């Protein structure tokens, strides 16, 4: 079903602390090979989640956009959040910085 909807790869989003993004920028993946990562295909859900007061971090947050092969989708989580649990993203970019000081 995912392949019919998205093709061979899927764009997903995740909220991370800004220090995790700095590791990614330095070419050091913060995710070990095969680690399961909760993501969402819905930018609105990710934006709402990132703006909740309980999710704020002193160093700021970054909304990441990742690409993952369909075969690296482990399972579908909460439908309302359009959650996909993935492993092994092959592309990671910063979509938006929230709070803190982006470096």
């Amino acid at each position: 079903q995912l392949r019919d909807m998205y093709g061979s790869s899927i764009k997903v989003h995740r909220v991370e602390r800004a220090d995790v993004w700095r590791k990614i920028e330095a070419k050091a993946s913060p995710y070990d090979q095969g680690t399961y990562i909760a993501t969402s295909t819905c930018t609105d859900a990710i934006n709402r989640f990132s703006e909740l007061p309980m999710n704020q971090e002193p160093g700021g947050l970054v909304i990441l956009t990742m690409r993952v092969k369909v075969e690296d989708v482990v399972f579908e989580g909460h439908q309302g959040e359009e959650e996909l649990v993935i492993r092994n993203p092959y592309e990671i970019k910063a979509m938006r910085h929230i709070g803190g000081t982006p470096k």
Side-chain angles (χ1 to χ4, degrees):
Q1 289 176 338
L2 289 173
R3 196 174 297 283
D4 289 342
M5 285 180 68
Y6 297 103
S8 62
S9 70
I10 301 172
K11 181 167 79 170
V12 294
H13 310 284
R14 178 175 172 81
V15 177
E16 283 287 6
R17 296 179 324 274
D19 64 317
V20 172
W21 171 243
R22 286 191 284 280
K23 286 181 187 176
I24 294 167
E25 282 186 309
K27 307 291 186 231
S29 178
Y31 310 113
D32 293 331
Q33 186 75 11
T35 298
Y36 293 173
I37 308 164
T39 65
S40 177
T41 60
C42 178
T43 47
D44 289 341
I46 285 294
N47 283 322
R48 285 191 304 273
F49 180 80
S50 70
E51 292 169 358
L52 291 172
M54 66 186 169
N55 293 331
Q56 300 310 302
E57 289 283 330
L61 299 170
V62 177
I63 296 177
L64 301 177
T65 298
M66 304 177 184
R67 300 249 353 125
V68 63
K69 294 178 184 175
V70 170
E71 53 268 17
D72 283 323
V73 174
V74 179
F75 63 88
E76 186 176 6
H78 302 286
Q79 284 186 337
E81 298 170 6
E82 298 181 37
E83 180 184 28
L84 293 178
V85 175
I86 66 163
R87 63 179 177 226
N88 309 325
Y90 65 86
E91 179 182 275
I92 305 173
K93 296 181 179 178
M95 185 173 86
R96 181 174 153 218
H97 294 269
I98 302 163
T101 306
K103 294 184 179 182

